Amino acid sequence: MITSEYKIVSQSVPPGFNGFTVAHVSDLHNREFNGELVSRIAEVKPDIIVITGDMIHRENETEAAEKFALGAVQIAPTYYVSGNHEKVLLCYPDFASRIADMGVKVMKNEYALIERGSDKLAVIGMSDPTFFAGGKTDFTAELNSLKIRTEEEQADFTVLLSHRPEMFPRYVAARIDLSLCGHAHGGHVRLPFIGAFYAPSQGLFPKYTEGVYEHGGKFMAVSKGLGKSSWVPRMFNPPELAVEILCRPPETTAQKG
């Protein structure tokens, strides 16, 4: 496992959230790390922990994911959204209920406000598009509605939790400051000098698989994830705990001689 740190440098970050640290977990797929993942997160000392989908993998195999959730909530407030795997698993509703009882904020198309003095950060949590009757179209409409509501709450900065990185253009259009995603598994197999070979929903040589992307002053950070969902082993692509740090641009004062 690797820990990757990504600084999100934006003038939109309010002063009260300069240095705000997010531990970003994605695509656990019920993988057991024997306490290492929780220990790594504790070392980061995050302000919040976010989980962007696919915590579980098969029916009634949830023990490792629940163990992780129990450890996470003892470190920092923990927010979770579903992925495509949760949609097809009959055990998901019970699983979601159990981790909610542990203290995980299971977000299903809703937002939460975090306040520091007069500054406000909104966390929007969206269920995977497969949970919507109209798929990505209905997902986008709901996202836009939630974004308007956070603006009415006078949120200074918006963080979106969504499983799907291929929808980045929609997040930008919705005026989301920072989107946190997974799903691509870092391309699963990464080829030397080429990069990601394949990602779900993006196909061969995908565009959005790891790290930070920016468009028009809006950002997306994609976790390479921790588990796998097929028999193909991860190659040149170790499991990743992503850490995003919100930063204001350094103030510069030009001095004329």
Side-chain angles (χ1 to χ4, degrees):
M1 186 195 308
I2 62 171
T3 301
S4 301
E5 181 180 292
Y6 303 105
K7 290 186 177 180
I8 310 300
V9 182
S10 171
Q11 191 67 49
S12 298
V13 174
F17 287 88
N18 189 38
F20 189 83
T21 300
V22 180
H24 179 187
V25 169
S26 196
D27 300 274
L28 183 64
H29 288 284
N30 203 46
R31 185 172 177 180
E32 174 64 73
F33 285 92
N34 298 315
E36 182 184 1
L37 177 56
V38 171
S39 296
R40 290 281 189 101
I41 293 173
E43 290 172 3
V44 170
K45 298 180 179 178
D47 293 286
I48 62 172
I49 300 166
V50 304
I51 307 167
T52 53
D54 284 5
M55 274 191 84
I56 52 180
H57 185 54
R58 293 187 180 89
E59 287 294 353
N60 303 315
E61 293 183 7
T62 63
E63 183 177 355
E66 290 179 32
K67 183 178 179 181
F68 164 69
L70 185 59
V73 297
Q74 297 177 56
I75 298 171
T78 302
Y79 301 80
Y80 161 62
V81 296
S82 62
N84 56 297
H85 273 260
E86 282 90 343
K87 171 59 179 175
V88 299
L89 295 177
L90 297 176
C91 66
Y92 168 63
D94 288 340
F95 167 74
S97 178
R98 286 194 296 272
I99 64 172
D101 288 342
M102 294 176 190
V104 174
K105 296 173 177 61
V106 178
M107 304 190 78
K108 300 178 180 179
N109 315 319
E110 57 194 283
Y111 69 89
L113 291 178
I114 302 173
E115 300 186 36
R116 288 187 166 182
S118 61
D119 295 329
K120 296 181 182 180
L121 180 147
V123 178
I124 296 178
M126 294 294 297
S127 299
D128 189 74
T130 52
F131 283 83
F132 290 81
K136 292 180 179 180
T137 299
D138 286 356
F139 173 104
T140 303
E142 182 65 19
L143 174 60
N144 286 326
S145 175
L146 289 171
K147 173 59 170 147
I148 291 171
R149 289 169 61 187
T150 66
E151 292 172 348
E152 292 171 348
E153 297 268 17
Q154 298 183 328
D156 302 287
F157 194 88
T158 306
V159 176
L160 169 67
L161 311 184
S162 176
H163 191 55
R164 307 270 186 153
E166 73 273 12
M167 295 175 66
F168 184 40
R170 297 180 186 236
Y171 308 152
V172 171
R175 307 180 306 284
I176 301 297
D177 295 298
L178 172 62
S179 303
L180 302 180
C181 306
H183 190 49
H185 293 193
H188 205 75
V189 173
R190 298 190 67 83
L191 304 177
F193 309 109
I194 295 176
F197 177 67
Y198 175 85
S201 307
Q202 296 186 67
L204 295 174
F205 306 110
K207 184 175 182 180
Y208 304 116
T209 60
E210 63 162 343
V212 178
Y213 302 85
E214 184 271 338
H215 182 81
K218 306 302 181 185
F219 297 84
M220 176 176 70
V222 182
S223 167
K224 288 190 286 189
L226 291 150
K228 63 188 187 74
S229 58
S230 72
W231 60 270
V232 179
R234 296 174 68 118
M235 296 178 61
F236 306 107
N237 181 26
E240 177 188 56
L241 167 64
V243 179
E244 290 91 19
I245 304 174
L246 304 186
C247 302
R248 290 176 60 81
E251 294 183 2
T252 57
T253 55
Q255 296 183 355
K256 295 183 180 180

